Amino acid sequence: MATPSAIIWSNNQLQLLDQRILPVQCEYLHYQDPFAVADAIRDMVVRGAPAIGITAAYGMVLAAQQINTSPASVAAWCLALGPARESLANSRPTAVNLFWALERCDRVIEEYGNGGQLLQALTALAVQIHAEDLEINQRIGDFGASLIPSDSIVYTHCNAGALATGGYGTALGVIRSAHRDGKIRGVFAGETRPWLQGARLTSWELMQDGIPVTLAIEGAAAHLMREHKPSWIIVGADRVAANGDAANKIGTYNLAIIAKHHGVKVMVAAPTSTFDADIDGAQIPIEQRPAHEITHSFGKRIAPEDVITSNPAFDVTPAQLIDAIVTEHGIIYQPDRSKVLAHLAEAKIK
């Protein structure tokens, strides 16, 4: 049984699988309003950097559909679409794919805004971004699988699978390809507090594909690495900086430090659209999530009232702790600024 699609575009309407209620319920929410799409991104109906980018592109299509009188110029289109674009851009600050997708929409507006075909062009772009992501994930999976030894146990954190992308996944794409090649003996999935993406989503995805998975509490990571000696920690990323630092779900930095102590390698699997060549890791904005996510569990208070909270959604793992970054164009071993920029330059040529 395959994992259902996180994003469906049908009859000029966007459907998003509500990932907040998985795996207990499998329900799609329907969207025709771009501001509601921005809320869906912010509220974690859809999550994962590639999926957020795809969703934002469809959000811009919905924004264009709402305009009754077609503007006659690029400037007029930018003015009309501006509020929806701003709302989408503000939905999640860390995931660079969001801005990458919106900038691709900007270029289409520049090209087609003076004619009468902008809506069709934006729709074609969103569909293209969606299809491209699936192909990209499959290439990442195959490159990453080439690094996995036979009979491996691996550890993954959060959810970087089909649910977080256009399909197949980045980190889980590597695991899927390695399992296809007969290399995976088992996968440890960290539960991933406070939204429990590892428990609710990753373990469910892997079970759908018949890949052996063991769910583990966050605090067991060091114990599991010592006892079971996984070959790799495999994670995705929401932003990879020019110097090779990688932002991913909070707790990834912890894992990389523990892995270094135990001689376990760390792999970041991410498309080149997740790279930000203009900043270093220290400059990556870290989203702070609402306090109730950690003071409450399933609607019930579990912490004292008025307790001060810290709820960062992401952390940044220094490049020195990363053994390989895998993209759709190949592998960056022991990443640093020169290697990252060279890889991105070569990817543009291709």
PDB file of all heavy atoms in Angstrom, residues 293-317:
ATOM      1  N   GLU A 293       2.026  24.500  21.598  1.00  0.00           N
ATOM      2  CA  GLU A 293       2.466  23.234  21.015  1.00  0.00           C
ATOM      3  C   GLU A 293       3.245  22.384  22.018  1.00  0.00           C
ATOM      4  O   GLU A 293       3.282  21.160  21.886  1.00  0.00           O
ATOM      5  CB  GLU A 293       3.318  23.490  19.773  1.00  0.00           C
ATOM      6  CG  GLU A 293       2.547  24.087  18.621  1.00  0.00           C
ATOM      7  CD  GLU A 293       3.401  24.306  17.388  1.00  0.00           C
ATOM      8  OE1 GLU A 293       4.639  24.131  17.458  1.00  0.00           O
ATOM      9  OE2 GLU A 293       2.825  24.653  16.337  1.00  0.00           O
ATOM     10  N   ILE A 294       3.886  23.034  22.998  1.00  0.00           N
ATOM     11  CA  ILE A 294       4.636  22.245  23.988  1.00  0.00           C
ATOM     12  C   ILE A 294       4.013  22.298  25.379  1.00  0.00           C
ATOM     13  O   ILE A 294       4.392  21.509  26.247  1.00  0.00           O
ATOM     14  CB  ILE A 294       6.124  22.660  24.053  1.00  0.00           C
ATOM     15  CG1 ILE A 294       6.290  24.146  24.372  1.00  0.00           C
ATOM     16  CG2 ILE A 294       6.813  22.324  22.750  1.00  0.00           C
ATOM     17  CD1 ILE A 294       7.758  24.547  24.551  1.00  0.00           C
ATOM     18  N   THR A 295       3.070  23.209  25.605  1.00  0.00           N
ATOM     19  CA  THR A 295       2.390  23.237  26.899  1.00  0.00           C
ATOM     20  C   THR A 295       1.144  22.362  26.901  1.00  0.00           C
ATOM     21  O   THR A 295       0.594  22.056  27.967  1.00  0.00           O
ATOM     22  CB  THR A 295       1.981  24.669  27.285  1.00  0.00           C
ATOM     23  OG1 THR A 295       1.105  25.195  26.279  1.00  0.00           O
ATOM     24  CG2 THR A 295       3.200  25.564  27.428  1.00  0.00           C
ATOM     25  N   HIS A 296       0.702  21.952  25.702  1.00  0.00           N
ATOM     26  CA  HIS A 296      -0.487  21.114  25.584  1.00  0.00           C
ATOM     27  C   HIS A 296      -0.186  19.886  24.725  1.00  0.00           C
ATOM     28  O   HIS A 296       0.679  19.921  23.854  1.00  0.00           O
ATOM     29  CB  HIS A 296      -1.641  21.899  24.955  1.00  0.00           C
ATOM     30  CG  HIS A 296      -2.191  22.978  25.818  1.00  0.00           C
ATOM     31  ND1 HIS A 296      -1.478  24.133  26.125  1.00  0.00           N
ATOM     32  CD2 HIS A 296      -3.391  23.092  26.471  1.00  0.00           C
ATOM     33  CE1 HIS A 296      -2.206  24.901  26.911  1.00  0.00           C
ATOM     34  NE2 HIS A 296      -3.366  24.305  27.130  1.00  0.00           N
ATOM     35  N   SER A 297      -0.916  18.829  24.980  1.00  0.00           N
ATOM     36  CA  SER A 297      -0.819  17.604  24.176  1.00  0.00           C
ATOM     37  C   SER A 297      -2.222  17.142  23.846  1.00  0.00           C
ATOM     38  O   SER A 297      -3.024  16.870  24.759  1.00  0.00           O
ATOM     39  CB  SER A 297      -0.059  16.513  24.938  1.00  0.00           C
ATOM     40  OG  SER A 297       0.013  15.317  24.171  1.00  0.00           O
ATOM     41  N   PHE A 298      -2.519  17.110  22.543  1.00  0.00           N
ATOM     42  CA  PHE A 298      -3.846  16.715  22.069  1.00  0.00           C
ATOM     43  C   PHE A 298      -4.942  17.510  22.795  1.00  0.00           C
ATOM     44  O   PHE A 298      -5.954  16.968  23.223  1.00  0.00           O
ATOM     45  CB  PHE A 298      -4.050  15.214  22.229  1.00  0.00           C
ATOM     46  CG  PHE A 298      -3.085  14.396  21.428  1.00  0.00           C
ATOM     47  CD1 PHE A 298      -1.972  13.806  22.033  1.00  0.00           C
ATOM     48  CD2 PHE A 298      -3.246  14.225  20.062  1.00  0.00           C
ATOM     49  CE1 PHE A 298      -1.058  13.073  21.300  1.00  0.00           C
ATOM     50  CE2 PHE A 298      -2.336  13.490  19.321  1.00  0.00           C
ATOM     51  CZ  PHE A 298      -1.241  12.911  19.937  1.00  0.00           C
ATOM     52  N   GLY A 299      -4.694  18.830  22.947  1.00  0.00           N
ATOM     53  CA  GLY A 299      -5.678  19.725  23.534  1.00  0.00           C
ATOM     54  C   GLY A 299      -5.685  19.783  25.042  1.00  0.00           C
ATOM     55  O   GLY A 299      -6.414  20.584  25.635  1.00  0.00           O
ATOM     56  N   LYS A 300      -4.878  18.976  25.703  1.00  0.00           N
ATOM     57  CA  LYS A 300      -4.853  18.934  27.167  1.00  0.00           C
ATOM     58  C   LYS A 300      -3.572  19.570  27.686  1.00  0.00           C
ATOM     59  O   LYS A 300      -2.477  19.258  27.223  1.00  0.00           O
ATOM     60  CB  LYS A 300      -4.952  17.484  27.647  1.00  0.00           C
ATOM     61  CG  LYS A 300      -4.988  17.351  29.162  1.00  0.00           C
ATOM     62  CD  LYS A 300      -5.134  15.884  29.568  1.00  0.00           C
ATOM     63  CE  LYS A 300      -5.160  15.748  31.088  1.00  0.00           C
ATOM     64  NZ  LYS A 300      -5.282  14.326  31.499  1.00  0.00           N
ATOM     65  N   ARG A 301      -3.704  20.465  28.684  1.00  0.00           N
ATOM     66  CA  ARG A 301      -2.531  21.119  29.254  1.00  0.00           C
ATOM     67  C   ARG A 301      -1.666  20.103  29.980  1.00  0.00           C
ATOM     68  O   ARG A 301      -2.157  19.293  30.770  1.00  0.00           O
ATOM     69  CB  ARG A 301      -2.952  22.232  30.219  1.00  0.00           C
ATOM     70  CG  ARG A 301      -1.789  22.876  30.959  1.00  0.00           C
ATOM     71  CD  ARG A 301      -2.215  24.083  31.755  1.00  0.00           C
ATOM     72  NE  ARG A 301      -2.488  25.228  30.907  1.00  0.00           N
ATOM     73  CZ  ARG A 301      -1.541  26.003  30.402  1.00  0.00           C
ATOM     74  NH1 ARG A 301      -0.260  25.761  30.642  1.00  0.00           N
ATOM     75  NH2 ARG A 301      -1.857  27.019  29.624  1.00  0.00           N
ATOM     76  N   ILE A 302      -0.350  20.163  29.714  1.00  0.00           N
ATOM     77  CA  ILE A 302       0.581  19.260  30.387  1.00  0.00           C
ATOM     78  C   ILE A 302       1.692  20.027  31.099  1.00  0.00           C
ATOM     79  O   ILE A 302       2.566  19.420  31.719  1.00  0.00           O
ATOM     80  CB  ILE A 302       1.215  18.268  29.381  1.00  0.00           C
ATOM     81  CG1 ILE A 302       1.947  19.020  28.262  1.00  0.00           C
ATOM     82  CG2 ILE A 302       0.168  17.318  28.822  1.00  0.00           C
ATOM     83  CD1 ILE A 302       2.746  18.122  27.334  1.00  0.00           C
ATOM     84  N   ALA A 303       1.665  21.361  31.007  1.00  0.00           N
ATOM     85  CA  ALA A 303       2.682  22.193  31.642  1.00  0.00           C
ATOM     86  C   ALA A 303       1.988  23.237  32.509  1.00  0.00           C
ATOM     87  O   ALA A 303       0.809  23.541  32.315  1.00  0.00           O
ATOM     88  CB  ALA A 303       3.546  22.880  30.579  1.00  0.00           C
ATOM     89  N   PRO A 304       2.709  23.815  33.481  1.00  0.00           N
ATOM     90  CA  PRO A 304       2.093  24.830  34.337  1.00  0.00           C
ATOM     91  C   PRO A 304       1.613  26.033  33.523  1.00  0.00           C
ATOM     92  O   PRO A 304       2.223  26.399  32.521  1.00  0.00           O
ATOM     93  CB  PRO A 304       3.226  25.232  35.288  1.00  0.00           C
ATOM     94  CG  PRO A 304       4.205  24.122  35.223  1.00  0.00           C
ATOM     95  CD  PRO A 304       4.104  23.536  33.853  1.00  0.00           C
ATOM     96  N   GLU A 305       0.537  26.636  33.967  1.00  0.00           N
ATOM     97  CA  GLU A 305       0.072  27.854  33.312  1.00  0.00           C
ATOM     98  C   GLU A 305       1.127  28.948  33.433  1.00  0.00           C
ATOM     99  O   GLU A 305       1.824  29.049  34.442  1.00  0.00           O
ATOM    100  CB  GLU A 305      -1.240  28.331  33.954  1.00  0.00           C
ATOM    101  CG  GLU A 305      -2.441  27.478  33.568  1.00  0.00           C
ATOM    102  CD  GLU A 305      -3.748  28.164  33.926  1.00  0.00           C
ATOM    103  OE1 GLU A 305      -3.829  29.397  33.739  1.00  0.00           O
ATOM    104  OE2 GLU A 305      -4.666  27.456  34.383  1.00  0.00           O
ATOM    105  N   ASP A 306       1.245  29.735  32.379  1.00  0.00           N
ATOM    106  CA  ASP A 306       2.148  30.890  32.331  1.00  0.00           C
ATOM    107  C   ASP A 306       3.628  30.520  32.363  1.00  0.00           C
ATOM    108  O   ASP A 306       4.480  31.383  32.581  1.00  0.00           O
ATOM    109  CB  ASP A 306       1.849  31.865  33.477  1.00  0.00           C
ATOM    110  CG  ASP A 306       0.410  32.372  33.417  1.00  0.00           C
ATOM    111  OD1 ASP A 306      -0.077  32.614  32.291  1.00  0.00           O
ATOM    112  OD2 ASP A 306      -0.207  32.517  34.480  1.00  0.00           O
ATOM    113  N   VAL A 307       3.962  29.245  32.151  1.00  0.00           N
ATOM    114  CA  VAL A 307       5.379  28.879  32.083  1.00  0.00           C
ATOM    115  C   VAL A 307       6.001  29.515  30.833  1.00  0.00           C
ATOM    116  O   VAL A 307       5.358  29.599  29.782  1.00  0.00           O
ATOM    117  CB  VAL A 307       5.574  27.351  32.063  1.00  0.00           C
ATOM    118  CG1 VAL A 307       5.003  26.728  30.788  1.00  0.00           C
ATOM    119  CG2 VAL A 307       7.046  26.981  32.216  1.00  0.00           C
ATOM    120  N   ILE A 308       7.220  30.004  30.956  1.00  0.00           N
ATOM    121  CA  ILE A 308       7.935  30.551  29.807  1.00  0.00           C
ATOM    122  C   ILE A 308       8.382  29.394  28.924  1.00  0.00           C
ATOM    123  O   ILE A 308       8.878  28.369  29.408  1.00  0.00           O
ATOM    124  CB  ILE A 308       9.135  31.387  30.271  1.00  0.00           C
ATOM    125  CG1 ILE A 308       8.651  32.596  31.066  1.00  0.00           C
ATOM    126  CG2 ILE A 308       9.971  31.846  29.072  1.00  0.00           C
ATOM    127  CD1 ILE A 308       9.760  33.380  31.730  1.00  0.00           C
ATOM    128  N   THR A 309       8.224  29.545  27.611  1.00  0.00           N
ATOM    129  CA  THR A 309       8.548  28.449  26.695  1.00  0.00           C
ATOM    130  C   THR A 309       9.558  28.878  25.645  1.00  0.00           C
ATOM    131  O   THR A 309       9.699  30.061  25.333  1.00  0.00           O
ATOM    132  CB  THR A 309       7.285  27.951  25.964  1.00  0.00           C
ATOM    133  OG1 THR A 309       6.758  29.016  25.167  1.00  0.00           O
ATOM    134  CG2 THR A 309       6.228  27.474  26.948  1.00  0.00           C
ATOM    135  N   SER A 310      10.247  27.907  25.120  1.00  0.00           N
ATOM    136  CA  SER A 310      11.095  28.078  23.941  1.00  0.00           C
ATOM    137  C   SER A 310      10.748  26.954  22.988  1.00  0.00           C
ATOM    138  O   SER A 310      10.927  25.774  23.315  1.00  0.00           O
ATOM    139  CB  SER A 310      12.583  28.018  24.310  1.00  0.00           C
ATOM    140  OG  SER A 310      13.384  28.093  23.140  1.00  0.00           O
ATOM    141  N   ASN A 311      10.246  27.310  21.811  1.00  0.00           N
ATOM    142  CA  ASN A 311       9.768  26.293  20.875  1.00  0.00           C
ATOM    143  C   ASN A 311      10.276  26.568  19.463  1.00  0.00           C
ATOM    144  O   ASN A 311       9.496  26.815  18.541  1.00  0.00           O
ATOM    145  CB  ASN A 311       8.240  26.237  20.901  1.00  0.00           C
ATOM    146  CG  ASN A 311       7.669  25.098  20.070  1.00  0.00           C
ATOM    147  OD1 ASN A 311       8.369  24.136  19.746  1.00  0.00           O
ATOM    148  ND2 ASN A 311       6.397  25.207  19.718  1.00  0.00           N
ATOM    149  N   PRO A 312      11.611  26.518  19.254  1.00  0.00           N
ATOM    150  CA  PRO A 312      12.123  26.695  17.891  1.00  0.00           C
ATOM    151  C   PRO A 312      11.761  25.485  17.032  1.00  0.00           C
ATOM    152  O   PRO A 312      11.863  24.335  17.480  1.00  0.00           O
ATOM    153  CB  PRO A 312      13.639  26.798  18.103  1.00  0.00           C
ATOM    154  CG  PRO A 312      13.890  26.056  19.381  1.00  0.00           C
ATOM    155  CD  PRO A 312      12.674  26.264  20.231  1.00  0.00           C
ATOM    156  N   ALA A 313      11.351  25.753  15.808  1.00  0.00           N
ATOM    157  CA  ALA A 313      10.955  24.660  14.915  1.00  0.00           C
ATOM    158  C   ALA A 313      12.162  23.965  14.291  1.00  0.00           C
ATOM    159  O   ALA A 313      12.061  22.796  13.891  1.00  0.00           O
ATOM    160  CB  ALA A 313      10.050  25.190  13.815  1.00  0.00           C
ATOM    161  N   PHE A 314      13.297  24.670  14.211  1.00  0.00           N
ATOM    162  CA  PHE A 314      14.463  24.150  13.502  1.00  0.00           C
ATOM    163  C   PHE A 314      15.734  24.439  14.298  1.00  0.00           C
ATOM    164  O   PHE A 314      15.748  25.290  15.189  1.00  0.00           O
ATOM    165  CB  PHE A 314      14.590  24.798  12.116  1.00  0.00           C
ATOM    166  CG  PHE A 314      13.359  24.670  11.274  1.00  0.00           C
ATOM    167  CD1 PHE A 314      12.404  25.677  11.235  1.00  0.00           C
ATOM    168  CD2 PHE A 314      13.127  23.533  10.513  1.00  0.00           C
ATOM    169  CE1 PHE A 314      11.253  25.564  10.480  1.00  0.00           C
ATOM    170  CE2 PHE A 314      11.980  23.404   9.745  1.00  0.00           C
ATOM    171  CZ  PHE A 314      11.041  24.420   9.730  1.00  0.00           C
ATOM    172  N   ASP A 315      16.785  23.726  13.960  1.00  0.00           N
ATOM    173  CA  ASP A 315      18.126  24.092  14.392  1.00  0.00           C
ATOM    174  C   ASP A 315      19.062  23.984  13.194  1.00  0.00           C
ATOM    175  O   ASP A 315      18.664  23.510  12.124  1.00  0.00           O
ATOM    176  CB  ASP A 315      18.616  23.270  15.596  1.00  0.00           C
ATOM    177  CG  ASP A 315      18.594  21.759  15.358  1.00  0.00           C
ATOM    178  OD1 ASP A 315      18.733  21.326  14.193  1.00  0.00           O
ATOM    179  OD2 ASP A 315      18.458  21.007  16.336  1.00  0.00           O
ATOM    180  N   VAL A 316      20.275  24.459  13.363  1.00  0.00           N
ATOM    181  CA  VAL A 316      21.237  24.476  12.262  1.00  0.00           C
ATOM    182  C   VAL A 316      22.408  23.572  12.620  1.00  0.00           C
ATOM    183  O   VAL A 316      23.072  23.761  13.649  1.00  0.00           O
ATOM    184  CB  VAL A 316      21.742  25.902  11.976  1.00  0.00           C
ATOM    185  CG1 VAL A 316      22.792  25.883  10.861  1.00  0.00           C
ATOM    186  CG2 VAL A 316      20.578  26.805  11.583  1.00  0.00           C
ATOM    187  N   THR A 317      22.652  22.567  11.791  1.00  0.00           N
ATOM    188  CA  THR A 317      23.774  21.650  11.982  1.00  0.00           C
ATOM    189  C   THR A 317      24.985  22.174  11.215  1.00  0.00           C
ATOM    190  O   THR A 317      24.901  22.386  10.000  1.00  0.00           O
ATOM    191  CB  THR A 317      23.415  20.242  11.483  1.00  0.00           C
ATOM    192  OG1 THR A 317      22.292  19.754  12.230  1.00  0.00           O
ATOM    193  CG2 THR A 317      24.584  19.294  11.649  1.00  0.00           C
TER     194      THR A 317
END
